Amino acid sequence: MHSVRRPPAMRDVAHLAGVSHQTVSRVVNDHPSVRSETRARVLAAMRALDYQPNVAARTLATNRSQTVGLVTFDTTLFGPSFMVHAIERAAREAGYFVSIASARELNVPSVTEAIRRLREQAVEGIITLAPVAAAWTALGRSLLDVPAHVPIVGMGIDVHAMPEVPMVAVDNAAGAGLATRHLIALGHRTVHHVAGPPEWPEARERMAGWQAALEAAGLPVPRALPGDWSARSGYAAGRALAADPAVTAVFCGNDQMAIGVLRAMHEAGRAVPGAVSVVGFDDMPEAPYLQPPLTTVRQDFAELGRRSMHLLVTQIATGVRQTGQHRSAPDLVVRESTSALAF
Amino acid sequence: MHSVRRPPAMRDVAHLAGVSHQTVSRVVNDHPSVRSETRARVLAAMRALDYQPNVAARTLATNRSQTVGLVTFDTTLFGPSFMVHAIERAAREAGYFVSIASARELNVPSVTEAIRRLREQAVEGIITLAPVAAAWTALGRSLLDVPAHVPIVGMGIDVHAMPEVPMVAVDNAAGAGLATRHLIALGHRTVHHVAGPPEWPEARERMAGWQAALEAAGLPVPRALPGDWSARSGYAAGRALAADPAVTAVFCGNDQMAIGVLRAMHEAGRAVPGAVSVVGFDDMPEAPYLQPPLTTVRQDFAELGRRSMHLLVTQIATGVRQTGQHRSAPDLVVRESTSALAF
DNA sequence: CTGTTAGCGCATTCAG
DNA sequence: CTGAATGCGCTAACAG
């Protein structure tokens, strides 16, 4: 009976190459001071043994985990799911692993728990997609407990609630302004709004941008209808809107809710864009193929993911906490769900 | 100048509680043989110091990382993004962290690289959402390199290519059969199909189920149109289908492609379901709000995520490699995009 | 340029 | 029921 098959360790490589395990370590870490002939021998031994470094041991010795944590809430939403993808890509390119912790619910204990899990894993930094102001309070508290500052980036967070945390997001207010002014320019006397949940800063910012654009144009500001980002909630709001003949233009907080509004209008016999114009937000890949193709505000999720990762890596490398907002400019994509007001 | 703030280690807790670090370890790991009074003292000390165990050290000592790896490809697709979420939930409940590694592309080197990254992290098991047969060959090779069998679960993999890997998936062929027979029962003389990429086993299984149902009914099997899961590709296929007046029923490989088909039909003036019936696959949350509300095959993604995690945990715990297919039964959800053939 | 010596924080023997 | 010793695999000083 021969020895148990155990993954080869550094010492095995060293033995085979006839050097000390330290030299192997140097080769692994690209330390300059290794004779190239020695290096070649070590590399050959590594290949021969199919050596794989043990991250746990390295983490223990260096106190660096090479891992960043991602706090998510609902990755089934179009935006967040796209971000997860973009962040993973960016992390890999920067040499980091990504570990996910999703918050069960949108409240303080859930987010605190998610952060605790991540910290327990000794992540070097945290990117969060958790959207709630209350959650940010929890995050803030958690951070205060941490001896060294944990590098962190918040995507779509409430900057007022957490000014000390750098944030990356699309300029929601500007995007909402784009959409609203587009509708106003088309001759609509006012624009109605189906909003996302008020707990989400994105939702509040879009609402604020919509309202500001209306006020700037001297137009009345109707009550916004509440939604939860889902097509279902958009449909419910759309039914209410469709019942009011005065409604001719609707700006939706996201594309999914716009889908619901489109459906409700269709059922009520109100043609889009003939009788009412509809604008969404996000520009999901399906938007051009809806009925009618949806005019919407595009945000570049991949770019946002890359920027937040870059910001995080910078903080990790320099050890200095960044702050401030990093906003990317949205574009209005005009398709067929909007048209001039017909008298 | 006082000492550097370093996270409290087990020894600090031990010191404060007046016990050995060993006793602290026992308390942390719920070892039974600790006097409850001692345990209380230790717990108090842990709380006082806000002690957090160091996973790296534990991993090093136990050779268990408490982490499962997730190989993904495109998490922006509805199905995969939902799975990621379900898997994370299930993993947390089972006491595991989840680390993501996405394959850059659908080929052997990319998947091998993703697996290498995961193994380097010493994950205790791997769940993969990577769909390609070729990728599975790579995975198979990687596995052969591993001294001990790495517990693994493939979601939606090609069972023929990798019979030794347990797989979890919806019964795609059955779902396609449901859809196709529904259309046949409605009087359609044949059913056309917009297929997903042939590299995806799901796509092939759905195509096979569609074909089998047609053949069983003694109906002609038209050439399937190629798609890539996107609404854009569905639209392209839909234009071709709309140009052929003989087409009265279309089964799409997923809902997103169905959206494109719906649009193409509308543009061509072919009413759905008046002139042509359309069925999707997945039942995405927006399906009920499309124009018209989409008849589709529902799969329970959350359930699939839970099952695969359960299977993985079982393998990790027992150390025995499972095999075989674990299929969940899909449901047909009939909405308004299908109707009886009108002569 | 290379080897030696110490830990990193924890769990796992084995003694008491 | 509790403590002391040992090592997990690696990096970081320090020597040579």
Side-chain angles (χ1 to χ4, degrees), chain A residues 10 21-22 25 29 51 57:
Chain A
M10 201 170 256
H21 71 123
Q22 189 46 242
S25 172
N29 295 304
Y51 170 71

Side-chain angles (χ1 to χ4, degrees), chain A residues 131-176:
Chain A
V132 180
W136 278 96
T137 306
L139 184 55
R141 269 217 300 278
S142 285
L143 284 180
L144 294 180
D145 294 344
V146 182
H149 281 307
V150 168
I152 194 157
V153 171
M155 301 194 71
I157 63 170
D158 185 337
V159 280
H160 302 299
M162 291 295 293
E164 60 272 34
V165 172
M167 77 99 85
V168 171
V170 70
D171 192 332
N172 289 295

Side-chain angles (χ1 to χ4, degrees), chain A residues 6 36 42 79 82 98-99 178 182 209 255 276-277 314:
Chain A
R6 151 183 75 62
S36 67
V42 170
F82 214 104
V98 6
S99 183
L178 245 33
H182 166 65
D255 288 350
V276 9
S277 290
T314 303

Side-chain angles (χ1 to χ4, degrees), chain A residues 46-82:
Chain A
M46 285 176 40
R47 225 179 341 264
L49 262 36
D50 191 23
Y51 170 71
Q52 288 205 324
N54 179 319
V55 227
R58 175 184 302 194
T59 299
L60 189 57
T62 59
N63 204 23
R64 299 203 44 189
S65 62
Q66 305 176 89
T67 299
V68 299
L70 194 53
V71 179
T72 63
F73 170 59
D74 187 349
T75 52
T76 65
L77 288 170
F78 170 69
S81 82
F82 214 104

